[in-house]
Each structure stands twice: as C-alpha cells, then as structure tokens.
Amino acid sequence: MARVDKSSIETFDFPAGHVLAKKYEVMSRLGSGWEGEVYLLKENSTGIERAAKFFYPERNKRNKTINFYAKKLHKLRDCPALIQYHTQEIIHYGGHDISFLVSDYVEGEVLQDFLRHQPGKRFDSFQALHVLHSITVALEAIHRLQDYHGDLHPGNVIIRRRGLGFDVKLLDFFHWGAPSPLNIRDDVYDVVRILYEITGGKARYQRQPPEIKAIILGLKRTLILKKFRTITMLREHLETLQWEGV
C-alpha cells in the first residue's frame, strides 16, 4: 500500500483483496475525484457487490459532506436514476478516521468514457437525443421534489444501452447551498451543455441539424433558459420534436 503522509491523504490505493471494516473485500477502484475515491467492494457476509465512496478527510470535515450525500440520497430514494444509499462505515487509515458511504453497485460506463468508443468520439443526432431524453427524465424526478443536482457533466452520468434507448444514473451532487430556483435553472442549462458536448462540441456545432441547434442555441444561457424554463419543458420538446423533411 502507498506511503501516506498523516497530514494529508491524496490517495487511498486500496489493493484488491484488502478487507475493510471486517465486512468488505476490495475488488477494484472505480474512479476518483476531488472529494475522494470510489471502489467496488464485495460484502463478505452475502457476496453482494457494493460501491463505496471514501472521502478524503480534508473534504469531509466533521462528516459534513458524507452526511449531506446520505440525507440527499435518502430524500430522493424514489428517483430511479439515483444509486440507492445503504449505510456509512468508518475505518482508520493514515492516522485518520475515514468515512465511506456504501451504496448499490450499478453496471454501466461513465458517459465521457462511453463516448471514446463511438465513431468520432461523439454520438450522431438520434443517439444524442435519446441520451438527452434519458438524462432529462432522470433530472425531472429530482426537480419534482424541489431539489437539484448541481454538477451535471459527462463525467457524472453512468450510461448503459437498453434497446433503442439508454439507462442512466446520475452521480456526485454538488453539495453547497439549499435548493433554489437558480440551482434548478443551472441544471437545465447543464443538460443542454451535455448535448453540445456529446455531439462533438465546438468543432461540430455548425454542422449540426437545425433540430440540435434549436436546443443548444449556441450555448447562450439566456436563450436556453427563456425557451426551456423548466426541465419538463425540455422533455416535452424532445418528445414532440418534428424533423425537417420527415
């Protein structure tokens, strides 16, 4: 295991096979970010696979961050595109008590990684709109409960193909500030920005069909939020979209 400076933790680097809290076996690391690292664990008593997010101590002072996530996931537990929270655990590591949040493990691929396997590292128009619709439906359930995501981008969406469409799960809520109309409008803009990015971004924008441009609107925030004042308006637009020449 990597040498750890007790004053700061930059990585946990748990090896496969390592047992944590006398309950979980480490299978692999799934990813990392500003707040901590996510690992695939096996629950020893049942053999069930779980995902666990381990928070760096300096990003989780007095357990403020992990408690926010737990409460928010519990509040939004009936939203199908969120990963279900199970419990919190604590281990002692590198001179610190490290809290981690245990949740369901969901198979799929982060959207930004999924894109790398696509021709030209982007989606065609129809695929992109299917993805956008799935994200919009997922977000609508959150907004219906007067809450918000706050950090939507291709790195915070897990995607899996299902028939003609896609299943999505949303990750890593932004955790500062109570829900407000501004937060919710930010989500709408961020969803449109995802469409811009997954269709090729700036390099491809001028070649997009009118139907795509009519949603992205040059990424002009004022125009986007005037046309799509709520995520429901964006979903309804997608479901009634008329294609030129069809």
Side-chain angles (χ1 to χ4, degrees):
M1 193 173 294
R3 182 177 180 273
V4 178
D5 178 355
K6 290 188 177 183
S7 65
S8 178
I9 294 178
E10 297 180 354
T11 180
F12 296 112
D13 197 22
F14 299 130
H18 188 66
V19 176
L20 299 169
K22 299 181 180 179
K23 297 180 183 180
Y24 306 99
E25 179 183 343
V26 175
M27 307 299 289
S28 64
R29 189 170 78 165
L30 299 175
S32 62
W34 184 80
E35 294 174 327
E37 298 174 3
V38 179
Y39 285 80
L40 173 62
L41 307 181
K42 183 176 70 175
E43 192 174 65
N44 288 335
S45 61
T46 64
I48 295 173
E49 292 182 334
R50 303 288 190 196
K53 184 167 184 174
F54 294 79
F55 291 82
Y56 301 135
E58 62 271 25
R59 310 298 189 201
N60 184 40
K61 294 180 179 178
R62 298 181 296 279
N63 277 340
K64 183 177 180 180
T65 305
I66 193 172
N67 287 335
F68 163 84
Y69 274 106
K71 290 176 182 178
K72 189 152 186 169
L73 288 174
H74 178 72
K75 174 186 176 182
L76 302 175
R77 62 191 180 277
D78 293 328
C79 298
L82 299 187
I83 296 174
Q84 295 298 305
Y85 160 73
H86 285 275
T87 189
Q88 293 182 37
E89 302 279 4
I90 297 176
I91 59 172
H92 193 71
Y93 177 84
H96 297 273
D97 287 333
I98 303 298
S99 298
F100 63 100
L101 186 151
V102 181
S103 61
D104 284 346
Y105 170 62
V106 176
E107 293 185 355
E109 194 170 8
V110 175
L111 179 54
Q112 66 182 10
D113 295 334
F114 191 92
L115 275 174
R116 296 190 184 109
H117 309 316
Q118 308 307 306
K121 298 182 179 180
R122 60 184 176 83
F123 288 114
D124 63 36
S125 299
F126 283 102
Q127 286 182 310
L129 291 175
H130 276 296
V131 172
L132 184 68
H133 182 261
S134 296
I135 296 172
T136 300
V137 170
L139 191 60
E140 187 177 27
I142 296 172
H143 285 188
R144 195 177 293 122
L145 292 172
Q146 299 300 306
D147 217 316
Y148 73 107
H149 187 282
D151 193 23
L152 284 164
H153 56 77
N156 276 345
V157 178
I158 290 180
I159 186 171
R160 182 172 59 172
R161 289 188 185 274
R162 184 174 293 276
L164 294 176
F166 297 87
D167 282 342
V168 300
K169 296 287 184 182
L170 306 181
L171 306 174
D172 285 353
F173 293 91
F174 182 73
H175 62 273
W176 304 120
S180 71
L182 177 60
N183 300 141
I184 291 172
R185 289 195 296 272
D186 285 344
D187 276 353
V188 176
Y189 177 80
D190 288 344
V191 170
V192 172
R193 186 175 186 91
I194 287 176
L195 177 64
Y196 173 77
E197 293 179 10
I198 67 177
T199 52
K202 182 178 180 180
R204 299 286 305 183
Y205 181 68
Q206 293 303 323
R207 285 174 279 179
Q208 296 297 337
E211 294 79 10
I212 298 292
K213 289 183 177 179
I215 297 171
I216 297 175
L217 296 169
L219 279 186
K220 293 180 171 59
R221 180 185 174 87
T222 302
L223 295 180
I224 290 169
L225 296 181
K226 181 178 180 181
K227 185 170 185 177
F228 306 115
R229 295 190 299 277
T230 66
I231 200 68
T232 298
M233 292 180 70
L234 177 55
R235 174 185 57 77
E236 291 175 347
H237 176 83
L238 294 170
E239 292 176 353
T240 57
L241 190 62
Q242 297 294 317
W243 286 84
E244 290 187 2
V246 177

